[in-house]
Amino acid sequence: DLSDPKQLDNSIENLLKMAKKDRFENYRDIIYYSAAQLALQKPDTIATKRFLIKSVSYNNEHIETRNKSFFQLGNISYSEGYFRDAYSFYDSLKLTNEEDYIDEKELAKRKDALGNMVVRISAIEREDSLQKVAALSPAERDAYVKKILRTLRKAKGLKEEDTNTGNAPLTFANSKQPAPDLFEYNTAKGEWYFYNNARKIKGQMEFVRKWGKR
């Protein structure tokens, strides 16, 4: 009885055990997809998404299962309000002429709407991040930038070295070009954007004009 949560858990557990066996290696994508469908019946969307992502990670040749996984991931993310994830999952679909479970016109409309939303969400997050940094004290700001620098160096596999002394500007060791200006406005040499009242007022007015009062 697949309406019984305990029976569903037992079935999922059996599938996960099967997925670990070498003789089912070529079918792990289908096994994890099946586990996702059972988890969805509970319903447990967290487990469903985890199994669907597992299914995609093991999928090499079963295009139908791959598309079904991405489509379900997109639908779940959309219903939960994770619009950036939803757009990414929908964009990963490689449609053929056999997806009778997908309304391609409706999917195209949803992708267009999500694409526009993602652009605006990214702009808002970037603006919020800049304002957050601007509100820090100079010492806190320096510590924040150094932390980001350490993270970037670690991601590139570089040693964690601090070659900056005193108040010297932070630079990347391998950079031969000057760092690009983060803002389109030119300010006096040595004067940061947020210390220039004229630029601040103009920036605030442009933000309110575009995004409203937040």
Side-chain angles (χ1 to χ4, degrees), residues 105-149:
K105 290 184 178 179
E106 289 300 316
L107 176 63
K109 290 180 181 178
R110 179 172 289 189
K111 278 186 64 178
D112 286 343
L114 286 171
N116 290 330
M117 290 178 64
V118 168
V119 170
R120 286 160 174 76
I121 290 172
S122 297
I124 290 172
E125 290 178 346
R126 182 171 59 251
E127 181 67 24
D128 286 348
S129 178
L130 290 172
Q131 290 191 23
K132 180 180 178 180
V133 174
L136 298 174
S137 68
E140 290 173 327
R141 192 180 306 121
D142 287 346
Y144 177 76
V145 174
K146 288 179 180 179
K147 181 179 179 181
I148 293 177
L149 178 59

Side-chain angles (χ1 to χ4, degrees), residues 7 19 61 63 70 123 158 164:
Q7 182 61 43
E61 56 186 38
I63 302 300
F70 276 129
L158 302 175
N164 299 286

Side-chain angles (χ1 to χ4, degrees), residues 63-130:
I63 302 300
E64 181 181 359
T65 304
R66 180 183 182 277
N67 279 337
K68 285 182 176 180
S69 296
F70 276 129
F71 187 62
Q72 277 196 327
L73 283 166
N75 289 342
I76 293 172
S77 298
Y78 183 84
S79 66
E80 293 179 339
Y82 297 111
F83 300 122
R84 182 177 291 164
D85 291 344
Y87 179 80
S88 178
F89 290 133
Y90 287 141
D91 198 47
S92 297
L93 289 166
K94 296 186 182 301
L95 299 179
T96 63
N97 295 321
E98 301 178 1
E99 290 82 13
D100 54 3
Y101 55 91
I102 296 178
D103 186 329
E104 292 192 35
K105 290 184 178 179
E106 289 300 316
L107 176 63
K109 290 180 181 178
R110 179 172 289 189
K111 278 186 64 178
D112 286 343
L114 286 171
N116 290 330
M117 290 178 64
V118 168
V119 170
R120 286 160 174 76
I121 290 172
S122 297
I124 290 172
E125 290 178 346
R126 182 171 59 251
E127 181 67 24
D128 286 348
S129 178
L130 290 172

